[in-house]
Amino acid sequence: MTAVIRHVTLLGATGSIGLSTLDVVRRHPDRFRVHALAASSRDADMETLCREFLPRYAVMADPDAAVRLRERLGAGSGVEVLAGVDGLCQVASDPAADTVMAAIVGAAGLSPTLAAVRAGKRVLLANKEALVMSGGLFMEAVRHSGAELLPIDSEHNAIFQCLPPAHVRNLRAAGITRILLTASGGPFRNMPADQLATVTPEQACAHPNWAMGRKISVDSASLMNKGLELIEACWLFNTDPGNIEVHVHPESIIHSMVEYADGSVLAQLGSPDMRTPIANGLAWPERIDAGVAPLDLFAIGRFHFERPDMQRFPCLGLAAEAFSQGGTAPAVLNAANEEAVAAFLQGRVRFTDIPVIIEQVLCRTPVAPADSFDTIFARDSEARQRAREQIRQQAV
Ligand code: NAD
Ligand code: MG
């Protein structure tokens, strides 16, 4: 039987998830066509991708980069170059595409991801920040449009694979008692608290198991990534943090687990390679080759599990608290984190300042009901402003 051809828009094409997605797509020319590629400002990388995948559209969020890309491609390439957020939203909702990979990093991904959701696409969600910022409204938009939301974050994809498809958003009906969310613990898992203040961006980005973009690498090191993922899991699977227990599992082979009332615990295992969840989402419910090395459990030998250290890594607790406050608090947490991580990567604040900045911003920004996307975006900018003030005071 020949597979249905999927027409894919890839938001965040030049990034870590974007390139892994293209690697899976490249292996299956009979299944996937690239309809549009979108990224921020790397026009040279985009030119290379356009020449290989021949999309109908290429979007550069940065208008100057769009001009450069147009020049690079020249006339007759067959690729129309668009610019800015309007261009991103246009390709995300274009009727000619049925599948959208949402792999822009950070809050910048929210508008285009939402455009894909509203247009009822199959949305492959890597951009967890979009869901953290606007969870309730985002899921409401999914229900309203009938979009097919598939998690790409490895943990959430693992949970999704362990759930009965009919009960992805009704864990109680499925007899599920707990989600066991695994975490690698990051590069500083065993570092004494007094050394954390002097770690460098390079150390923070040297993840023991996963090769990822710089922002998510810092989030993994601070455990904010697990905090964002806790919130992400609550929205995706319609549950709350009381039903989710974070397990530090340094081997990163079990990508998460689901516990059932009868004592069964189902897990999804695999090499730490994002091409597995990406291929799972692209081909769902079918299974396709992802180019991933087979798992060699003899070579791995042992699995370990620890509780997360909430004292050394306060970001996980801050995220849980923001979720329980509700309303705009998670959007504020996310915005403050993005600003603090950017400042850390620029060498302007210390690693240990990240949770301090976030906590200050959360304390100073009143929680409002998350009743519209405008409210979310307004709180996001307010929080960024406060975070920048805090960063100036904190600066090393
Ligand atoms: P990355 O930094 O490698 O790539 C980010 C991509 O987003 C790039 O293509 C960049 O051009 C684009 N981008 C950045 N700002 C933009 C803007 N304003 N407008 C348009 N495009 C913009 O990041 P990544 O590691 O690929 O992560 C992408 C997303 O996937 C993040 O939300 C991350 O949390 C999530 N995620 C990543 C991994 C991973 O293994 N890398 C795993 C799980 C989830
Ligand atoms: Mg993850």
PDB file of all heavy atoms in Angstrom, residues 128 153-155 225-226 229, ligand 2:
ATOM      1  N   LYS A 128       7.614  23.861  23.368  1.00  0.00           N
ATOM      2  CA  LYS A 128       6.868  23.727  24.616  1.00  0.00           C
ATOM      3  C   LYS A 128       6.509  25.074  25.231  1.00  0.00           C
ATOM      4  O   LYS A 128       5.508  25.213  25.932  1.00  0.00           O
ATOM      5  CB  LYS A 128       7.658  22.872  25.613  1.00  0.00           C
ATOM      6  CG  LYS A 128       8.959  23.466  26.094  1.00  0.00           C
ATOM      7  CD  LYS A 128       9.812  22.437  26.828  1.00  0.00           C
ATOM      8  CE  LYS A 128      10.701  21.690  25.891  1.00  0.00           C
ATOM      9  NZ  LYS A 128      11.527  20.655  26.491  1.00  0.00           N
ATOM     10  N   ASP A 153       8.256  16.612  22.181  1.00  0.00           N
ATOM     11  CA  ASP A 153       9.157  16.566  23.337  1.00  0.00           C
ATOM     12  C   ASP A 153       9.265  15.085  23.728  1.00  0.00           C
ATOM     13  O   ASP A 153       8.241  14.386  23.826  1.00  0.00           O
ATOM     14  CB  ASP A 153       8.529  17.391  24.485  1.00  0.00           C
ATOM     15  CG  ASP A 153       9.580  18.049  25.346  1.00  0.00           C
ATOM     16  OD1 ASP A 153      10.757  17.665  25.240  1.00  0.00           O
ATOM     17  OD2 ASP A 153       9.210  18.957  26.122  1.00  0.00           O
ATOM     18  N   SER A 154      10.493  14.583  23.924  1.00  0.00           N
ATOM     19  CA  SER A 154      10.657  13.123  24.012  1.00  0.00           C
ATOM     20  C   SER A 154       9.844  12.507  25.142  1.00  0.00           C
ATOM     21  O   SER A 154       9.268  11.427  24.986  1.00  0.00           O
ATOM     22  CB  SER A 154      12.136  12.774  24.164  1.00  0.00           C
ATOM     23  OG  SER A 154      12.665  13.405  25.301  1.00  0.00           O
ATOM     24  N   GLU A 155       9.773  13.218  26.281  1.00  0.00           N
ATOM     25  CA  GLU A 155       9.033  12.681  27.435  1.00  0.00           C
ATOM     26  C   GLU A 155       7.539  12.585  27.118  1.00  0.00           C
ATOM     27  O   GLU A 155       6.884  11.600  27.447  1.00  0.00           O
ATOM     28  CB  GLU A 155       9.218  13.588  28.663  1.00  0.00           C
ATOM     29  CG  GLU A 155      10.643  13.678  29.180  1.00  0.00           C
ATOM     30  CD  GLU A 155      11.544  14.592  28.358  1.00  0.00           C
ATOM     31  OE1 GLU A 155      11.062  15.190  27.368  1.00  0.00           O
ATOM     32  OE2 GLU A 155      12.737  14.699  28.686  1.00  0.00           O
ATOM     33  N   ASN A 225      13.849  23.166  32.296  1.00  0.00           N
ATOM     34  CA  ASN A 225      13.254  22.370  31.218  1.00  0.00           C
ATOM     35  C   ASN A 225      12.242  21.388  31.802  1.00  0.00           C
ATOM     36  O   ASN A 225      11.155  21.209  31.254  1.00  0.00           O
ATOM     37  CB  ASN A 225      14.346  21.641  30.433  1.00  0.00           C
ATOM     38  CG  ASN A 225      13.774  20.903  29.242  1.00  0.00           C
ATOM     39  OD1 ASN A 225      13.001  21.470  28.466  1.00  0.00           O
ATOM     40  ND2 ASN A 225      14.108  19.634  29.093  1.00  0.00           N
ATOM     41  N   LYS A 226      12.575  20.748  32.922  1.00  0.00           N
ATOM     42  CA  LYS A 226      11.639  19.797  33.525  1.00  0.00           C
ATOM     43  C   LYS A 226      10.429  20.534  34.075  1.00  0.00           C
ATOM     44  O   LYS A 226       9.315  20.017  34.043  1.00  0.00           O
ATOM     45  CB  LYS A 226      12.339  18.969  34.607  1.00  0.00           C
ATOM     46  CG  LYS A 226      11.919  17.530  34.696  1.00  0.00           C
ATOM     47  CD  LYS A 226      11.739  16.792  33.371  1.00  0.00           C
ATOM     48  CE  LYS A 226      12.957  16.758  32.496  1.00  0.00           C
ATOM     49  NZ  LYS A 226      12.708  16.030  31.212  1.00  0.00           N
ATOM     50  N   GLU A 229       8.296  21.242  31.218  1.00  0.00           N
ATOM     51  CA  GLU A 229       7.696  19.979  30.760  1.00  0.00           C
ATOM     52  C   GLU A 229       6.597  19.486  31.701  1.00  0.00           C
ATOM     53  O   GLU A 229       5.646  18.828  31.262  1.00  0.00           O
ATOM     54  CB  GLU A 229       8.787  18.907  30.628  1.00  0.00           C
ATOM     55  CG  GLU A 229       9.709  19.208  29.465  1.00  0.00           C
ATOM     56  CD  GLU A 229      10.753  18.137  29.191  1.00  0.00           C
ATOM     57  OE1 GLU A 229      10.826  17.145  29.951  1.00  0.00           O
ATOM     58  OE2 GLU A 229      11.490  18.295  28.211  1.00  0.00           O
TER      59      GLU A 229
HETATM   60 MG    MG B   2      12.120  16.894  26.793  1.00  0.00          MG
END
